[in-house]
Amino acid sequence: MRIGINGFEAVIPRFGFDKDTGLPNRVGSSEVCYQLLIEIEKLDQKNEYIIFLPVDPTNDMPKERVGWHYEIIPNKKLWTIFGLNNGVLKKADLNVFFSPTHYSPIFTSVPEVISILDVSYKYFPELFKKQDLIKLS
């Protein structure tokens, strides 16, 4: 099976990069995405994975190998929604696309799975920036 994964959260942290290590300061969904990638790469040598990223993988990400490949799609506004469009995903000839975030591409014919990690924005919208609420709704 050929599986695509949205790795955006693992390499573009909301809280920047550690000044000493240069690695992302991952919390919340960024840490979940990163840990999922680490564990999937260790556990599954049978399927083929394409990890879609807006930038090169950080040094702590799993190294490329047969069955584990990074596809860099340059970062743009609303990257997951528009950058990972149907053309990009279809070209990769995926059986399924997994997005471990609240977001997924808007128009795609590739079967998708997404993880909803937190719905606090529905119950406490006053705690969120307006631009984040628009993306999450």
Side-chain angles (χ1 to χ4, degrees), residues 7 10-11 26 34 37-38 51 53 57-63 68 70:
V11 295
R26 297 182 184 101
Y34 171 72
L37 291 172
I38 294 293
I51 315 312
L53 301 173
T58 54
N59 292 336
D60 59 344
M61 298 280 285
K63 302 302 178 221
W68 190 268
Y70 294 104

Short mmCIF file of all heavy atoms in Angstrom, two decimals, residues 7 10-11 26 34 37-38 51 53 57-63 68 70:
data_model
loop_
_atom_site.label_atom_id
_atom_site.label_comp_id
_atom_site.label_asym_id
_atom_site.label_seq_id
_atom_site.Cartn_x
_atom_site.Cartn_y
_atom_site.Cartn_z
N GLY A 7 3.13 15.90 6.85
CA GLY A 7 4.11 16.09 7.92
C GLY A 7 4.32 17.53 8.33
O GLY A 7 5.26 17.83 9.07
N ALA A 10 5.07 18.52 11.98
CA ALA A 10 6.33 18.02 12.56
C ALA A 10 7.51 18.94 12.27
O ALA A 10 8.48 18.94 13.01
CB ALA A 10 6.63 16.62 12.03
N VAL A 11 7.42 19.73 11.19
CA VAL A 11 8.57 20.57 10.81
C VAL A 11 8.31 22.07 10.89
O VAL A 11 9.25 22.85 10.81
CB VAL A 11 9.07 20.21 9.38
CG1 VAL A 11 9.62 18.81 9.34
CG2 VAL A 11 8.00 20.42 8.34
N ARG A 26 8.35 21.62 19.57
CA ARG A 26 7.07 20.97 19.28
C ARG A 26 6.23 20.83 20.55
O ARG A 26 6.72 20.38 21.57
CB ARG A 26 7.31 19.59 18.69
CG ARG A 26 8.03 19.59 17.38
CD ARG A 26 8.18 18.17 16.86
NE ARG A 26 8.96 18.13 15.64
CZ ARG A 26 10.24 17.78 15.58
NH1 ARG A 26 10.89 17.41 16.67
NH2 ARG A 26 10.88 17.77 14.43
N TYR A 34 4.94 14.50 14.95
CA TYR A 34 6.33 14.04 14.97
C TYR A 34 6.43 12.62 15.53
O TYR A 34 7.07 11.75 14.93
CB TYR A 34 7.18 15.01 15.78
CG TYR A 34 8.57 14.53 16.05
CD1 TYR A 34 9.52 14.49 15.03
CD2 TYR A 34 8.95 14.11 17.32
CE1 TYR A 34 10.80 14.04 15.27
CE2 TYR A 34 10.24 13.66 17.57
CZ TYR A 34 11.15 13.62 16.54
OH TYR A 34 12.42 13.17 16.77
N LEU A 37 5.12 9.96 13.14
CA LEU A 37 6.07 9.66 12.07
C LEU A 37 7.21 8.78 12.57
O LEU A 37 7.59 7.81 11.90
CB LEU A 37 6.62 10.96 11.47
CG LEU A 37 5.62 11.79 10.68
CD1 LEU A 37 6.22 13.13 10.30
CD2 LEU A 37 5.14 11.04 9.45
N ILE A 38 7.74 9.08 13.74
CA ILE A 38 8.82 8.28 14.32
C ILE A 38 8.37 6.83 14.49
O ILE A 38 9.07 5.89 14.09
CB ILE A 38 9.26 8.87 15.70
CG1 ILE A 38 9.89 10.25 15.53
CG2 ILE A 38 10.18 7.92 16.44
CD1 ILE A 38 11.20 10.26 14.80
N ILE A 51 6.02 11.20 2.80
CA ILE A 51 5.72 12.23 3.79
C ILE A 51 5.83 13.58 3.10
O ILE A 51 6.90 13.96 2.61
CB ILE A 51 6.72 12.18 4.98
CG1 ILE A 51 6.96 10.76 5.48
CG2 ILE A 51 6.25 13.12 6.09
CD1 ILE A 51 5.77 9.90 5.73
N LEU A 53 6.05 17.48 3.02
CA LEU A 53 6.56 18.55 3.88
C LEU A 53 6.66 19.84 3.09
O LEU A 53 6.94 19.83 1.89
CB LEU A 53 7.95 18.19 4.41
CG LEU A 53 8.10 16.92 5.24
CD1 LEU A 53 9.57 16.65 5.52
CD2 LEU A 53 7.32 17.02 6.53
N PRO A 57 13.11 17.98 5.78
CA PRO A 57 12.91 17.40 7.12
C PRO A 57 13.99 17.88 8.08
O PRO A 57 15.13 18.11 7.69
CB PRO A 57 13.02 15.89 6.88
CG PRO A 57 13.62 15.71 5.54
CD PRO A 57 13.41 16.97 4.77
N THR A 58 13.62 18.03 9.34
CA THR A 58 14.59 18.41 10.36
C THR A 58 15.49 17.21 10.66
O THR A 58 15.17 16.08 10.32
CB THR A 58 13.86 18.88 11.64
OG1 THR A 58 12.96 17.86 12.06
CG2 THR A 58 13.11 20.17 11.39
N ASN A 59 16.63 17.48 11.29
CA ASN A 59 17.63 16.43 11.55
C ASN A 59 17.14 15.29 12.42
O ASN A 59 17.73 14.22 12.42
CB ASN A 59 18.88 17.05 12.19
CG ASN A 59 19.61 17.95 11.22
OD1 ASN A 59 19.49 17.81 10.01
ND2 ASN A 59 20.37 18.89 11.77
N ASP A 60 16.10 15.52 13.21
CA ASP A 60 15.59 14.48 14.09
C ASP A 60 14.49 13.62 13.47
O ASP A 60 13.98 12.69 14.10
CB ASP A 60 15.11 15.08 15.41
CG ASP A 60 14.01 16.11 15.24
OD1 ASP A 60 13.79 16.60 14.12
OD2 ASP A 60 13.37 16.45 16.26
N MET A 61 14.15 13.91 12.23
CA MET A 61 13.13 13.11 11.53
C MET A 61 13.76 11.81 11.03
O MET A 61 14.98 11.75 10.81
CB MET A 61 12.57 13.90 10.34
CG MET A 61 11.88 15.20 10.72
SD MET A 61 10.22 14.97 11.30
CE MET A 61 9.41 14.65 9.76
N PRO A 62 12.94 10.76 10.83
CA PRO A 62 13.49 9.51 10.28
C PRO A 62 14.19 9.77 8.95
O PRO A 62 13.74 10.59 8.15
CB PRO A 62 12.26 8.64 10.09
CG PRO A 62 11.26 9.17 11.05
CD PRO A 62 11.51 10.65 11.11
N LYS A 63 15.27 9.07 8.73
CA LYS A 63 16.02 9.22 7.48
C LYS A 63 15.28 8.49 6.35
O LYS A 63 14.59 7.50 6.58
CB LYS A 63 17.42 8.63 7.62
CG LYS A 63 18.24 9.27 8.74
CD LYS A 63 18.39 10.76 8.55
CE LYS A 63 19.16 11.40 9.69
NZ LYS A 63 18.62 12.67 10.11
N TRP A 68 10.30 4.84 2.53
CA TRP A 68 10.10 6.05 3.34
C TRP A 68 10.74 7.20 2.61
O TRP A 68 11.96 7.30 2.53
CB TRP A 68 10.73 5.87 4.72
CG TRP A 68 10.38 6.96 5.68
CD1 TRP A 68 11.08 8.11 5.90
CD2 TRP A 68 9.25 7.02 6.55
NE1 TRP A 68 10.46 8.88 6.85
CE2 TRP A 68 9.33 8.22 7.28
CE3 TRP A 68 8.18 6.15 6.79
CZ2 TRP A 68 8.37 8.58 8.21
CZ3 TRP A 68 7.23 6.52 7.73
CH2 TRP A 68 7.33 7.72 8.43
N TYR A 70 10.50 11.57 1.52
CA TYR A 70 9.97 12.91 1.75
C TYR A 70 9.74 13.61 0.42
O TYR A 70 10.61 13.60 -0.45
CB TYR A 70 10.92 13.74 2.62
CG TYR A 70 11.06 13.20 4.01
CD1 TYR A 70 12.19 12.49 4.40
CD2 TYR A 70 10.05 13.38 4.94
CE1 TYR A 70 12.31 11.98 5.67
CE2 TYR A 70 10.16 12.86 6.22
CZ TYR A 70 11.29 12.17 6.58
OH TYR A 70 11.40 11.65 7.85
#
